[in-house]
Structures are given as structure tokens and as C-alpha cells.
Amino acid sequence: MAAVIEVRNLRKVYGKLIAVDDISFDVNEGEIFGMVGPNGAGKTTTIECIEGLRQQDDGSVKLLGMEPIKERRTIANHVGIQLQESSLPQRLRVGEALHLFGSFYEHRVNNEDLLETLGLMEKRSSPFKKLSGGQKQRLFIALALINKPSVVFFDELTTGLDPQARRAMWKLVRQIRDRGCTVFLTTHFMEEAERLCDRVLIIDRGKLISLDTPEAMIRNLGAENRLVFTLPGNKVAPVLTGLPQVSRVEQFGDRVVVYGHGERFASSVMSALEDAGVDFVDLRTEQPNLEDVFLSLTGEEMRE
């Protein structure tokens, strides 16, 4: 599979701060590629170097086989960008914004088709200030897609959106990929990366920590399964002590979290509770996920 983005030994320094520290990776044609990391990890600096918005201090970047800074004009006709923070004049109408941005490119998609695809047809005459948060995000996606790009960048696409709007965005991202566009996104939402991305890069303090499919990352973590339930007025630890499938038990008030491994983990715990006559409610199982991987690799402490 051809690489549409090639990053080799990328490095960017601001004074004494090493924002990106000698990272290398490829992004393949037709994939949804995600980059995640704590605040200040170097995500935005990395993506801006790839986009040609920032000059790296060392290393090389190729986007569609071209150097982003030197060949910016040519690249611009084939790349779409949604920035982490974007805005438009408050009185600019949706249709006017599409017409304006479309005039910047040699080739562009049909405005009507784009409005229809993104559910903005009824808002074409609405000013920017009258749009909801989700509608503004969809408009910025439309502006990133106006030139029918081969690669599109989404930087923190769903930050600030409610769950319904976030899932609608996920659906749109998949549709964009299914139409032949390579998607590069950064996000703080591990569930978003896990559900959307073919591969995920984890960056921390400017260094590449891990790069693989979400499934492989979770599998390689070897994390424990969790069984969560409520146990009003009872102490569960003595009941479960000694079960070979159970590694540890945590109890916070009435809420109990049991950690363990094995195919019979859940059934052995429930059998032990039932045999001991212990009543429990609100039982659910939790599988290891990408958030567990992220916290394992980057730590759980708060970051500035």
C-alpha cells in the first residue's frame, strides 16, 4: 500500500522545549490514521509540520510525494485541513463561505452536493453566527473538502460536541474515507480513535510511544478484564479471595470492581457470589480499551 505521508526523524524545538523529538512514521493511502497524546505532547506541532504550516528544525516530511513547505501551492490543491481552532466572519453565510473557499482552488466539488452530504442544505443562507456547534463543525469539514482532496486533516474534530453530534461526525469521517480520501486526525477522545482509526500513533513529550492498530495495542497490553457491580451493605473481598481467575478487588462504597483474566473469569465470580448468598445488582463487564493502553503508556498524572 502506497504511503501518502512520510515522516522521517522529525524534530521541532521552541527554545528549551523539544516539542517533537525525532519521530518517524508513514500514513498509507485510504486509511484513517489517528494521533493521540496528552496536552502538550506535540500533536499539533507534528500535524502542522506535515501540513506545511510550520517548518521543522530537522528531519524530512513528504506529503503526496512533495515537500509541504517548498511545494505548498501544488499541495494545497490536493489537501484539505480543518484546524483545531477555526472561525469565520459572523455574518458570512454558509453558501458564501463555500463559494469563497472554492474560488481558491483549481478543482472543486459541487457546492450543492457538499451541502446535501453534510446536512447543511437548509442552512445555506444562514450566517455563521446562527449555526450550532455541530453545524459549524460540519461547515469546516465542508470547507476542508471543497477541493476534493486526496488527504484531509482533522485536528480535534469533535471537541466541544455533544454525544449525538460526535457520532454524526464519526459517520461523516467514515464516509469521507469510503470515497477514497485518506484521513489524518488528532483527538483527545480514546473511544473516537478506537472506533474510527485503522492505526493509531501515541505521542508523549514529543516522542513516538506506540504505533499500531487499536486492536493490536489493546491485545499487547495484556490488561485485565473488569467486572463491575453494586453490593449494598456487603463486603465482597473475603468471598472472592482465592479464586484463581481474580487478581484483585477494589471497593468504593457499594461499588465493587473485580479484576481478572481467563474465559471463566466472569462466571467464576458470579458463581462464588451466588454460592455465598451475596446479593449484587447492576452487573456489567468491561473489556480493556484504548484508554487503558493510553494511560498505561503515558501515565495518569494531570498535565499542564
Side-chain angles (χ1 to χ4, degrees):
M1 187 176 295
V4 296
I5 298 172
E6 301 170 75
V7 177
R8 297 290 180 270
N9 306 112
L10 180 66
R11 182 178 172 88
K12 182 65 180 178
V13 179
Y14 303 105
K16 296 182 179 180
L17 174 65
I18 302 176
V20 182
D21 191 4
D22 193 32
I23 67 173
S24 301
F25 62 93
D26 292 339
V27 177
N28 297 321
E29 182 179 5
E31 73 175 333
I32 300 177
F33 185 92
M35 181 167 58
V36 302
N39 289 330
K43 300 186 301 298
T44 296
T45 297
T46 298
I47 200 172
E48 288 180 349
C49 288
I50 296 171
E51 294 164 343
L53 300 178
R54 195 174 297 276
Q55 176 67 61
Q56 70 268 22
D57 295 320
D58 202 359
S60 65
V61 176
K62 290 290 184 69
L63 176 55
L64 296 171
M66 296 175 277
E67 296 184 31
I69 296 290
K70 293 182 179 180
E71 301 173 85
R72 180 179 300 172
R73 185 179 296 275
T74 301
I75 287 176
N77 283 299
H78 303 282
V79 171
I81 299 174
Q82 174 264 329
L83 298 173
Q84 185 173 348
E85 295 183 9
S86 303
S87 189
L88 290 170
Q90 295 296 298
R91 299 175 67 179
L92 185 68
R93 300 181 186 277
V94 170
E96 294 172 340
L98 288 174
H99 179 76
L100 173 63
F101 276 69
S103 68
F104 300 156
Y105 302 103
E106 297 175 3
H107 306 286
R108 48 190 175 272
V109 301
N110 183 279
N111 287 2
E112 305 294 314
D113 292 342
L114 199 53
L115 289 170
E116 187 68 38
T117 298
L118 293 170
L120 290 171
M121 185 63 76
E122 295 182 358
K123 297 294 181 179
R124 60 182 302 172
S125 298
S126 298
F128 181 75
K129 66 180 179 179
K130 295 291 186 180
L131 301 180
S132 68
Q135 290 165 347
K136 288 178 180 178
Q137 287 291 63
R138 278 183 278 154
L139 175 57
F140 290 130
I141 291 177
L143 298 179
L145 299 176
I146 192 69
N147 60 330
K148 199 175 181 180
S150 299
V151 182
V152 63
F153 295 89
F154 294 134
D155 195 1
E156 303 293 349
L157 177 66
T158 62
T159 297
L161 299 185
D162 59 42
Q164 290 86 356
R166 182 173 296 125
R167 279 163 174 72
M169 289 297 172
W170 294 353
K171 183 178 179 180
L172 284 172
V173 170
R174 293 189 187 99
Q175 290 174 346
I176 292 167
R177 188 271 307 276
D178 292 344
R179 293 179 182 182
C181 186
T182 301
V183 178
F184 187 119
L185 64 86
T186 70
T187 180
H188 274 107
F189 298 106
M190 295 304 109
E191 181 187 8
E192 181 167 286
E194 185 174 342
R195 291 198 179 196
L196 278 181
C197 298
D198 298 301
R199 291 189 300 145
V200 175
L201 182 156
I202 299 179
I203 185 173
D204 191 20
R205 295 184 172 90
K207 291 184 176 295
L208 193 159
I209 303 301
S210 182
L211 173 57
D212 212 328
T213 66
E215 296 80 9
M217 285 185 176
I218 294 167
R219 183 174 61 253
N220 293 335
L221 179 64
E224 300 160 310
N225 293 322
R226 298 182 290 269
L227 196 63
V228 183
F229 53 89
T230 301
L231 199 67
N234 292 290
K235 293 184 178 179
V236 68
V239 176
L240 301 177
T241 299
L243 287 179
Q245 296 87 356
V246 174
S247 57
R248 70 186 192 278
V249 179
E250 295 178 353
Q251 186 161 358
F252 309 94
D254 292 341
R255 183 174 180 269
V256 179
V257 183
V258 185
Y259 298 83
H261 294 277
E263 295 180 359
R264 291 184 51 79
F265 164 62
S267 61
S268 65
V269 170
M270 288 187 288
S271 295
L273 293 173
E274 291 171 350
D275 291 344
V278 177
D279 295 325
F280 55 91
V281 295
D282 301 328
L283 177 72
R284 70 178 187 276
T285 60
E286 295 181 352
Q287 302 297 320
N289 55 35
L290 191 60
E291 184 169 316
D292 294 313
V293 175
F294 181 82
L295 293 175
S296 174
L297 294 176
T298 65
E300 299 186 15
E301 74 276 7
M302 294 285 288
R303 302 288 183 90
E304 292 291 338

